[in-house]
Amino acid sequence: MSGKRLGSWVLPLLMLGVLMTLLLMLILYPARAQRRPELLEMSVIAREADSSAWSTARQGMEQAAADLNVELRFLFPGQSDSAQEQRQLLRREVESGASAILLFPADRETLAEEVREASSRAALVTLETDMAEAEGYVGVDNSALGEALARAALNGVSREGTVLLMESPARGSGVGDRQAAAEAVLESQVREIRHFTGTADDLAEELSRSRVQAVIAFEASSLERAAEAASRTEDSPLLYGVGSTAAVTAGLEQGCITSILAQNAFSAGYLAVQSAARMARRETAEPLALLPFFTVRRENMYEPENQKLLFPVTW
């Protein structure tokens, strides 16, 4: 082959090699090949005065924020379950120009108008409590969860036996939906219901002098309080609840908690940030589906799938 003919093949081969290299880089390093989106500021308005009860969800939010170039601003009411404070925080964030908001509503009715107004000016997603006025919801079917808690308790409570319910002040929220659904099941099966509000010390005293056969807690903070009381009570009743905090996991391991219903809180936090970011950036996204929840007992808490629910992980 002459040098002239050989030279005519060299340039096309070099160009083909460059194209193959670029294609390989796109396959192996897609994040580097794509332009990082502009920074998005997102406000997170909590229902409780601190984040210990949803620390795993917060980890999921922070991971999503790092992946999606989102800056999170966490806001806590001075008093837990204060819907009035949440209204003020929500109004302030909207007026300050927040592009996206995550909200743990304390009361649907109190917040309805403010959420409707905020949703017209920012991407607003709720967690734990669904609201018709919000653009999206990340969480479980709370009524189904409450019914499942009641059915679990029925296994250990005799007919006309007593079940103590840890009363939540957030009755107009998803937590209230759980309690209402559980009460309906227990009443239909002829169980006596008592309601309790108070400290772990108060509960320990109540359990030591009453004939309560089971206790149900509808949120992590109440379950932690009930587990602490049960650990100090001889012949403590069966304890069922919702949540997957470190204290709840310890109570489950020690046998103070009979069983829990848990969701993947890390995933919930991640999906909430992801959904709100896509809405704010006008990106196409599939409708959010309700998250599943799972029953975890001491006997199965270390199974691989349940470890994901109980022990925080980083994606």
Side-chain angles (χ1 to χ4, degrees), residues 9-22:
W9 283 95
V10 171
L11 185 58
L13 285 173
L14 287 173
M15 292 178 66
L16 180 61
V18 171
L19 288 173
M20 292 294 291
T21 301
L22 289 173

Side-chain angles (χ1 to χ4, degrees), residues 41 134 151 177 190 231 245 253:
E41 295 184 357
R151 288 195 296 270
D177 296 343
V190 197
S231 68
T245 66
E253 187 173 45

Side-chain angles (χ1 to χ4, degrees), residues 11-156:
L11 185 58
L13 285 173
L14 287 173
M15 292 178 66
L16 180 61
V18 171
L19 288 173
M20 292 294 291
T21 301
L22 289 173
L23 180 61
L24 187 61
M25 289 181 66
L26 285 171
I27 294 173
L28 295 178
Y29 306 105
R32 295 182 183 178
Q34 296 175 6
R35 186 174 67 85
R36 190 164 174 80
E38 291 185 6
L39 181 67
L40 175 69
E41 295 184 357
M42 186 178 301
S43 303
V44 184
I45 301 177
R47 177 174 62 83
E48 298 182 279
D50 63 68
S51 64
S52 60
W54 51 281
S55 58
T56 304
R58 178 166 178 164
Q59 289 182 33
M61 293 177 190
E62 291 172 341
Q63 183 63 56
D67 292 345
L68 303 173
N69 201 25
V70 172
E71 181 178 319
L72 296 175
R73 172 181 166 85
F74 292 95
L75 303 167
F76 303 93
Q79 181 179 352
S80 294
D81 300 308
S82 174
Q84 291 295 343
E85 282 191 71
Q86 285 191 317
R87 283 185 62 189
Q88 295 170 10
L89 291 171
L90 186 55
R91 185 182 303 116
R92 188 187 72 189
E93 293 307 297
V94 171
E95 292 175 351
S96 298
S99 300
I101 299 171
L102 302 183
L103 173 67
F104 290 80
D107 185 85
R108 288 189 185 92
E109 184 176 352
T110 303
L111 290 165
E113 188 57 39
E114 207 67 51
V115 168
R116 185 181 295 107
E117 173 64 21
S119 294
S120 69
R121 300 171 62 181
L124 194 153
V125 173
T126 64
L127 295 96
E128 188 182 64
T129 300
D130 60 305
M131 289 188 66
E133 296 81 6
E135 288 190 74
Y137 165 63
V138 175
V140 301
D141 181 332
N142 286 296
S143 293
L145 188 149
E147 291 172 357
L149 278 173
R151 288 195 296 270
L154 287 173
N155 294 325

Side-chain angles (χ1 to χ4, degrees), residues 37 62 72 78 86 128-129 143 145 150 164 194 196 218 236 248 255 262 267 282 300 302 314:
E62 291 172 341
L72 296 175
Q86 285 191 317
E128 188 182 64
T129 300
S143 293
L145 188 149
L164 187 147
R194 292 185 191 174
F196 176 84
F218 300 98
S236 61
V248 168
S267 293
R282 302 293 189 267
N300 67 1
Y302 288 107
T314 301

Side-chain angles (χ1 to χ4, degrees), residues 60-308:
M61 293 177 190
E62 291 172 341
Q63 183 63 56
D67 292 345
L68 303 173
N69 201 25
V70 172
E71 181 178 319
L72 296 175
R73 172 181 166 85
F74 292 95
L75 303 167
F76 303 93
Q79 181 179 352
S80 294
D81 300 308
S82 174
Q84 291 295 343
E85 282 191 71
Q86 285 191 317
R87 283 185 62 189
Q88 295 170 10
L89 291 171
L90 186 55
R91 185 182 303 116
R92 188 187 72 189
E93 293 307 297
V94 171
E95 292 175 351
S96 298
S99 300
I101 299 171
L102 302 183
L103 173 67
F104 290 80
D107 185 85
R108 288 189 185 92
E109 184 176 352
T110 303
L111 290 165
E113 188 57 39
E114 207 67 51
V115 168
R116 185 181 295 107
E117 173 64 21
S119 294
S120 69
R121 300 171 62 181
L124 194 153
V125 173
T126 64
L127 295 96
E128 188 182 64
T129 300
D130 60 305
M131 289 188 66
E133 296 81 6
E135 288 190 74
Y137 165 63
V138 175
V140 301
D141 181 332
N142 286 296
S143 293
L145 188 149
E147 291 172 357
L149 278 173
R151 288 195 296 270
L154 287 173
N155 294 325
V157 180
S158 60
R159 189 175 179 83
E160 299 184 0
T162 302
V163 181
L164 187 147
L165 305 183
M166 298 291 290
E167 185 80 24
S168 171
R171 290 305 299 266
S173 69
V175 177
D177 296 343
R178 300 168 190 173
Q179 183 172 331
E183 288 182 2
V185 171
L186 293 171
E187 289 172 353
S188 70
Q189 298 299 313
V190 197
R191 299 313 195 265
E192 180 186 353
I193 296 173
R194 292 185 191 174
H195 298 88
F196 176 84
T197 56
T199 66
D201 291 337
D202 295 333
L203 181 57
E205 183 179 347
E206 171 70 17
L207 296 179
S208 65
R209 58 182 171 79
S210 66
R211 296 183 178 180
V212 172
Q213 293 178 290
V215 177
I216 300 178
F218 300 98
E219 57 185 331
S221 56
S222 296
L223 182 56
E224 289 179 358
R225 199 159 69 249
E228 182 183 345
S231 68
R232 293 189 271 127
T233 306
E234 291 185 15
D235 194 24
S236 61
L238 302 174
L239 175 55
Y240 305 89
V242 179
S244 55
T245 66
V248 168
T249 300
L252 196 63
E253 187 173 45
Q254 294 162 8
C256 299
I257 299 174
T258 308
S259 70
I260 62 170
L261 294 180
Q263 62 173 322
N264 190 321
F266 186 96
S267 293
Y270 194 102
L271 288 171
V273 170
Q274 183 184 65
S275 176
R278 286 176 174 172
M279 291 176 187
R281 290 169 173 155
R282 302 293 189 267
E283 297 174 358
T284 302
E286 295 183 1
L288 292 168
L290 291 172
L291 300 179
F293 57 84
F294 306 89
T295 301
V296 184
R297 300 178 298 278
R298 184 180 184 182
E299 297 78 19
N300 67 1
M301 64 182 293
Y302 288 107
E303 292 181 2
E305 290 305 311
N306 290 335
Q307 287 191 52
K308 295 178 183 178

